[in-house]
Amino acid sequence: MEQQEIYKGLAGVPVDYTAISKVNPETNSLLYRGYPVQEVAANCTFEEVAYLLWFGELPDEGELAEFESRERTLRGLDHEVKRVIDALPATSHPMDVVRTAVSFIGAADPATPDDSAEANLDKAIRLFAKLPSIVAYDQRRRRGEAFVEPRDDLSYSANFLWQTFGELPDLEVVEAFDVSMILYAEHSFNASTFTARVITSTLADLYSAVTGAIGALKGPLHGGANEAVMHAFAEIERAERAASWLDEALTAKRKIMGFGHRVYKNGDSRVPTMRAAFERMAAHYERPDLLELYVALEEAMGERKGIKPNLDYPAGPAYHLMGFDTETFTPLFVASRVTGWTAHILEQQAANALIRPLSVYNGVDQRQVPVRAGR
Ligand code: SDX
C-alpha cells in the first residue's frame, strides 16, 4: 500500500487565505479585520461587527444608521415561514427548525440564483435580520406561546430578547447577550465555515451554503457543545460534585464539552471576555452556585487533563441564566455566526477554486468480476 501522509481532520493544514479574521494560537489572539476581538466586544455593537465582517471597515455614524434601519425593516417573518416552522413537530431539534426555515427562505427567494456580491449581501443581511425571529419563535412555540413581532425601536440584541421572552430585557442582560453575539460571530476556517466555503466553491447558492453550515454547527464537537455544557452542569448539580463527576466521565472516555480546541492549545482567546459576561449574569440573577460549579469543573479539568475551556463553556451557563432553553443555545450561535459564514461565502466567491482534496486508497487491490455460470 502506497505510504502517503494523511492530514486527518485537516488538522494544521492551511488551505486558503482569508482577510476576515486571524486566529493566532501562539499569542492566543483573534482579530476581526485587524481589530482584537476583546476590543471589539468592549467598544462595538453586534450590528457594527456584522458590518465590519462584511465590508471590512467599521461603519461611520451615517453608515451605521443606514445599516441599522435596513436590518430593522427586515426582521419580520413572512407567514409562509411561520407555516413551515409550525409544520414541524414541537419536538424537532431547534437546529433542524432553523436549518429548515433557512432552506425554505432560500427556496422561496427569487434572487437565489443571483450570485452577484450585491445580491448575496442582500441575502446575508436578510438572514442576519430574520434569524432572531426564527430562533425566538421556535423557543416560544415549544412553550405554547405565540410569536412576538419584532420591534424596530430596539437594537438587534434587545429585540432578540424581546421576541424571545415577550418583555423588555434589562440593559445588563442585553449587553451580555450582545457580547456573546460578537464573540461567536467569526473564527476563520472552523468546521461550519469551511463547510460553507466548500459548498460555495461548487458555485452553489448562498442559502445552500448556510444550510450546510447549520448542519455542521449542530454537532457537539463544534457548535452543539454549548448545549452539552449545560447538560453536564445538570448532571453535576453542584460544585462539590464536579471532581468526582469528572473522574467518572474521563474514566468512561467522555469528551468534556466546552473544553479543548483544535487551534487554541493554551486557552481560547474569547473565554475571558465571555466569562466576565457570565459572571455579570451570575451576579445579576443571584446564582453564585452556578459560577462555583463553573469554577470547580474548570479547575478539575485543568488538574486532570490540562485542557482549558473554549467559548462554549461560559456561553452555555450565561444563556441559561438569561432564560434560553438549552436546545436554543446552538441556534443562538447560528444567529451570530451567519455573519462570519456569509462573509466567507463572499470571500470564497471573489477568488474561487473548487475545493476537492485527495484521498489515499487503502481498500482491496484491483481484481476481476468472476464469470458466473449462466450469465
Ligand atoms: C467550537 O474550530 C473552531 O474555531 C470552533 C469554534 C468556533 O468558534 O467556530 O471555536 C467553536 O466548536 C469550540 C469547540 C467546541 N467543542 C467542544 O467543546 C467539544 C469537546 N472538545 C473536544 O472534542 C476537542 O477538544 C475538539 C474537538 C474541540 C478539538 O479536539 P482535537 O484538536 O481534534 O484534539 P483531539 O480530540 O484529538 O484531542 C487531543 C487529546 C485527546 O486525548 P488522547 O485521545 O490523544 O489521549 O486531548 C483529549 C483527547 O481525548 N481531549 C479531550 C477533550 N479535548 C481534547 N478529552 C476530554 N474532553 C475534551 N474536551
Side-chain angles (χ1 to χ4, degrees):
M1 189 184 316
E2 52 186 299
Q3 285 308 317
Q4 264 190 291
E5 179 147 18
I6 299 292
Y7 299 92
K8 196 118 179 108
L10 291 180
V13 178
V15 292
D16 206 341
Y17 294 101
T18 182
I20 302 169
S21 68
K22 180 177 182 181
V23 179
N24 187 336
E26 281 71 50
T27 56
N28 191 7
S29 63
L30 169 60
L31 304 179
Y32 284 178
R33 298 282 189 187
Y35 295 112
V37 72
Q38 296 81 355
E39 287 183 32
V40 168
N43 300 296
C44 301
T45 63
F46 181 43
E47 291 93 322
E48 288 174 302
V49 172
Y51 188 100
L52 173 66
L53 294 175
W54 284 320
F55 297 100
E57 297 296 337
L58 285 168
D60 62 27
E61 236 175 273
E63 290 162 338
L64 180 59
E66 187 191 342
F67 178 69
E68 283 179 343
S69 102
R70 180 176 176 187
E71 181 266 325
R72 295 181 187 204
T73 58
L74 293 168
R75 287 175 175 172
L77 268 197
D78 304 336
H79 73 274
E80 297 92 347
V81 179
K82 281 187 210 150
R83 255 201 7 249
V84 166
I85 294 172
D86 288 338
L88 297 170
T91 51
S92 295
H93 192 287
M95 283 295 278
D96 299 342
V97 175
V98 170
R99 192 191 67 234
T100 305
V102 167
S103 185
F104 174 82
I105 291 171
D109 184 350
T112 293
D114 181 349
D115 65 358
S116 65
E118 189 189 354
N120 277 337
L121 195 54
D122 270 343
K123 296 168 198 163
I125 295 173
R126 188 170 316 119
L127 288 177
F128 168 63
K130 291 186 184 308
L131 275 162
S133 282
I134 293 165
V135 174
Y137 181 43
D138 186 53
Q139 169 156 312
R140 292 184 65 84
R141 77 183 189 113
R142 287 200 309 278
R143 295 179 177 193
E145 297 163 349
F147 177 73
V148 171
E149 290 295 336
R151 283 179 48 173
D152 62 9
D153 60 332
L154 296 176
S155 69
Y156 173 95
S157 289
N159 175 65
F160 205 147
L161 294 163
W162 158 255
Q163 284 197 268
T164 306
F165 302 109
E167 56 191 29
L168 268 183
D170 292 333
L171 182 59
E172 194 177 22
V173 178
V174 174
E175 286 169 350
F177 184 79
D178 208 54
V179 164
S180 77
M181 289 289 114
I182 290 170
L183 295 174
Y184 265 132
E186 158 61 15
H187 212 242
S188 81
F189 282 16
N190 59 86
S192 55
T193 297
F194 191 63
T195 300
R197 291 190 75 127
V198 169
I199 295 171
T200 302
S201 80
T202 71
L203 302 188
D205 66 278
L206 177 139
Y207 292 111
S208 297
V210 172
T211 303
I214 294 170
L217 191 72
K218 182 180 177 186
L221 292 190
H222 187 18
N226 57 16
E227 273 185 54
V229 169
M230 218 50 228
H231 292 315
F233 277 22
E235 282 180 36
I236 299 169
E237 292 178 345
R238 53 191 185 284
E240 305 81 78
R241 296 192 60 242
S244 58
W245 178 89
L246 183 59
D247 289 336
E248 275 175 49
L250 292 175
T251 305
K253 295 278 181 220
R254 285 173 65 177
K255 292 279 194 217
I256 312 307
M257 297 295 144
F259 286 89
H261 199 277
R262 169 60 61 78
V263 180
Y264 294 121
K265 292 306 180 188
N266 295 309
D268 181 327
S269 64
R270 303 161 293 183
V271 167
T273 307
M274 191 64 227
R275 171 168 173 163
F278 164 52
E279 288 177 348
R280 290 197 296 276
M281 290 301 95
H284 180 86
Y285 290 101
E286 297 172 359
R287 286 295 307 277
D289 58 305
L290 201 57
L291 182 56
E292 283 157 22
L293 198 167
Y294 175 99
V295 172
L297 183 59
E298 179 183 357
E299 283 174 356
M301 189 65 176
E303 286 157 13
R304 288 156 178 78
K305 298 283 284 188
I307 297 176
K308 296 190 178 196
N310 57 56
L311 176 57
D312 293 311
Y313 190 57
Y319 287 146
H320 174 73
L321 290 173
M322 291 176 195
F324 291 103
D325 293 346
T326 300
E327 58 269 25
T328 305
F329 292 3
T330 313
L332 296 176
F333 197 155
V334 171
S336 167
R337 189 55 58 91
V338 74
T339 57
W341 289 335
T342 49
H344 279 273
I345 289 166
L346 289 164
E347 186 178 67
Q348 179 72 32
Q349 278 183 324
N352 189 40
L354 177 68
I355 297 173
R356 198 278 187 218
L358 291 179
S359 56
V360 175
Y361 179 70
N362 65 355
V364 296
D365 290 339
Q366 182 169 333
R367 54 185 171 169
Q368 283 192 316
V369 175
V371 176
R372 280 156 295 172
R375 299 293 292 268

